[in-house]
């Protein structure tokens, strides 16, 4: 999933750069708001088609496609579950407006580009508070190393593009940083709320959940477009400046968004942030390969920090999952052994009361209960141990063992 996200991001970046070559003096030849609406609409169409295909492919033998669809919707869709996705859609719309306001009022967009990556620790903090996740000390270290490495990489790219020094304190005024922090905090809330809804119903198809989310995305962005550029509806200039390259930009952005949704559902919002950090490095390499700027030493040093942080997080995450799996297996084995021990002790205690042929059963039962002495201290231990709901002195446990 992360690899597909990186590939879609790289293709989107390449096509966006190609469309940038034909830009006008005051911006792109197309409306960014219209592109966002078109992207959300393509996401909705692709998700709907994928959902219908999955329902058709999984329909039981003898059951019609329409009946299978109605049954799946009756089980996994309701007005309440549908309306819940209005919340993250509204938060995403708020994020877009805050981004627009921040970029419009910033002295230089460099503050937004560099400090926009503080979303990563905010996502981690919200994951702990809202989703009850736990991160080790090494993982927290990896999170802040990622932010540091990405910031270094962005500054190195800025200077490599010939924009002068990009690390001066004057380039990051307090008002600009506050705008960026608010924007990233809203973005983190949007990601966590979406992940919460996705994982709240893990058995629901990701395509159906995307349909619910993107339908609200289309509506909210249409409203935003009407507020920003109402003339697009009146003058018939909705698709002004669109070219096949712009169509490719929209398609790649839609695929990228669908991959992000899958990453959030099956992985986590934090791992999405790590994949985004790797995508920055990939985009910079592509841009340098196209001759837009020459990579410098600062870029490679920052990229090295990014790679180390991703590796550290992945290794620690793998170790944590392995430890959790081992603990679960040990717990299950311990429960099984304890059950067998108690059953054997009960059999031995019950058989001991018999005579004649019952003594053979006593020895057999004692053999079954052989594990009792090992589990609760041995036949010569002092004290009592619970056996079958009773308290049996441990010094008598030797009598339960076979000769």
């Amino acid at each position: 999933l992360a690899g597909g996200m990186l590939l879609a991001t790289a293709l989107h970046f390449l096509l966006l750069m190609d469309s940038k070559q034909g830009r006008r003096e005051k911006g792109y030849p197309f409306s960014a708001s219209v592109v966002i609406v078109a992207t959300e609409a393509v996401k909705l169409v692709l998700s709907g088609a994928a959902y219908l295909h999955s329902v058709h492919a999984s329909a039981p033998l003898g059951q019609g496609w329409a009946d299978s669809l109605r049954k799946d919707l009756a089980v996994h869709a309701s007005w309440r579950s549908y309306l819940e996705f209005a919340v993250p859609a509204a938060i995403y719309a708020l994020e877009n407006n805050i981004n627009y306001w921040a970029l419009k009022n910033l002295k230089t967009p460099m503050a937004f580009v560099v400090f926009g990556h503080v979303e990563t620790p905010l996502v981690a903090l919200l994951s702990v508070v809202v989703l009850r996740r736990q991160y080790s000390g090494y993982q927290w270290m990896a999170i802040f190393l990622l932010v540091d490495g990405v910031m270094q990489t962005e500054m190195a790219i800025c200077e490599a593009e010939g924009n002068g020094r990009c690390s001066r304190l004057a380039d990051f005024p307090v008002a600009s940083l506050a705008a960026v922090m608010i924007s990233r905090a809203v973005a983190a809330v949007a990601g966590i709320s979406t992940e919460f809804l996705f994982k709240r119903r893990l058995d629901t198809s990701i395509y159906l959940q995307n349909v619910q989310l993107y339908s609200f995305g289309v509506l909210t962005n249409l409203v935003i477009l009407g507020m920003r550029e109402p003339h697009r509806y009146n003058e018939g200039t909705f698709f002004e400046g669109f070219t096949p390259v712009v169509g490719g930009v929209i398609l790649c952005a839609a695929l990228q968004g669908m991959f992000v949704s899958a990453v959030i559902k099956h992985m986590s919002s934090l791992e999405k942030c790590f994949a985004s950090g790797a995508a920055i490095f990939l985009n910079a390499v592509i841009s340098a390969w196209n001759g837009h700027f020459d990579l410098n030493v600062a870029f490679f040093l920052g990229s090295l920090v990014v790679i180390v942080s991703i590796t550290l997080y992945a290794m620690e995450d793998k170790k944590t999952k392995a430890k959790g799996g081992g603990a679960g297996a040990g717990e299950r084995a311990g429960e099984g052994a304890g059950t067998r021990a108690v059953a054997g002790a009960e059999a031995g205690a019950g058989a001991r009361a018999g005579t004649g042929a019952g003594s053979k059963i006593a020895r057999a039962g004692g053999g079954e209960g052989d594990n009792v002495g090992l589990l609760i201290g041995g036949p010569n231990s002092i004290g009592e141990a619970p056996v079958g709901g009773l308290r049996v002195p441990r010094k008598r446990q030797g009598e339960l063992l076979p000769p």
Side-chain angles (χ1 to χ4, degrees):
L1 289 176
M5 177 182 165
L6 286 174
L7 179 61
T9 302
L11 290 174
H12 176 255
F13 180 72
L14 280 172
L15 292 172
L16 194 60
M17 287 174 57
D18 192 38
S19 67
K20 190 176 181 180
Q21 294 174 0
R23 61 183 296 182
R24 298 177 180 176
E25 294 181 359
K26 294 185 178 181
Y28 288 96
F30 53 84
S31 169
S33 298
V34 174
V35 168
I36 292 175
V37 171
T39 301
E40 294 296 314
V42 172
K43 290 180 187 178
L44 179 60
V45 172
L46 292 177
S47 299
Y51 173 64
L52 294 177
H53 173 73
S54 65
V55 170
H56 176 71
S58 60
L61 292 175
Q63 188 177 59
W65 173 80
D67 293 336
S68 179
L69 177 62
R70 281 194 294 268
K71 183 178 180 181
D72 190 77
L73 289 176
V75 173
H76 298 292
S78 64
W79 282 109
R80 179 179 179 181
S81 65
Y82 182 72
L83 292 175
E84 284 176 344
F85 281 95
V87 176
I91 298 175
Y92 278 123
L94 178 62
E95 177 199 352
N96 290 333
N97 279 281
I98 293 177
N99 291 345
Y100 181 81
W101 172 80
L103 289 171
K104 185 177 179 181
N105 292 278
L106 288 178
K107 179 181 178 182
T108 171
M110 192 60 202
F112 190 89
V113 173
V114 173
F115 281 89
H117 301 285
V118 297
E119 176 187 356
T120 302
L122 292 176
V123 166
L125 181 61
L126 287 174
S127 297
V128 172
V129 175
V130 178
L131 303 178
R132 305 300 182 186
R133 284 205 179 94
Q134 292 183 351
Y135 300 110
S136 67
Y138 287 110
Q139 286 178 314
W140 281 109
M141 187 187 302
I143 290 168
F144 286 101
L145 277 176
L146 176 71
V147 177
D148 177 67
V150 170
M151 287 182 174
Q152 291 183 48
T153 303
E154 294 286 6
M155 291 181 180
I157 293 173
C158 175
E159 295 184 3
E161 289 178 337
N163 297 322
R165 291 189 58 192
C166 301
S167 56
R168 296 170 300 181
L169 292 177
D171 294 330
F172 307 103
V174 176
S176 299
L177 294 182
V180 175
M181 297 299 177
I182 294 174
S183 170
R184 294 303 88 199
V186 173
V189 171
I192 291 297
S193 61
T194 304
E195 182 179 357
F196 176 79
L197 292 178
F198 277 172
K199 292 182 176 176
R200 187 179 180 181
R201 297 180 176 88
L202 276 175
D203 58 334
T204 303
S205 169
I206 180 65
Y207 304 124
L208 178 59
Q209 291 177 319
N210 279 340
V211 168
Q212 295 172 329
L213 176 63
Y214 297 146
S215 58
F216 282 107
V218 172
L219 292 175
T220 53
N221 283 285
L222 281 173
V223 173
I224 293 172
L225 177 63
M227 295 171 59
R228 288 183 183 173
E229 305 175 42
H231 64 277
R232 296 287 176 181
Y233 296 112
N234 302 326
E235 301 176 1
T237 59
F238 196 84
F239 296 105
E240 181 184 11
F242 272 44
T243 63
V245 175
V246 179
V249 170
I250 293 172
L251 179 60
C252 289
L255 292 175
Q256 180 185 359
M258 293 181 68
F259 271 114
V260 168
S261 295
V263 168
I264 290 176
K265 182 178 178 73
H266 299 293
M267 297 168 69
S268 70
S269 298
L270 184 60
E271 288 167 329
K272 185 263 295 184
C273 293
F274 273 90
S276 299
I280 293 171
F281 171 76
L282 179 62
N283 291 342
V285 172
I286 293 173
S287 184
W289 178 63
N290 284 344
H292 286 79
F293 60 86
D294 295 327
L295 298 179
N296 51 33
V297 176
F299 170 82
F300 287 106
L301 292 177
S303 301
L304 181 62
V305 176
V306 173
I307 294 172
V308 169
S309 67
I310 294 175
T311 305
L312 178 61
Y313 180 87
M315 291 175 61
E316 189 67 15
D317 186 59
K318 183 178 180 181
K319 185 187 302 183
T320 303
K321 290 178 179 178
K323 186 183 298 182
E331 183 179 349
R332 289 190 296 272
E335 290 176 356
T339 303
R340 290 192 299 271
V342 171
E346 289 175 344
R352 187 174 177 274
T355 59
S359 62
K360 298 180 181 179
I361 301 176
R363 287 194 294 272
E368 184 73 17
D370 195 3
N371 293 329
V372 178
L374 299 177
L375 290 174
I376 56 180
N380 298 322
S381 299
I382 299 175
E384 296 182 347
V387 178
L390 303 175
R391 305 296 294 183
V392 180
R394 290 192 177 183
K395 60 184 179 180
R396 287 183 52 204
Q397 291 167 19
E399 300 175 8
L400 302 180
L401 300 177

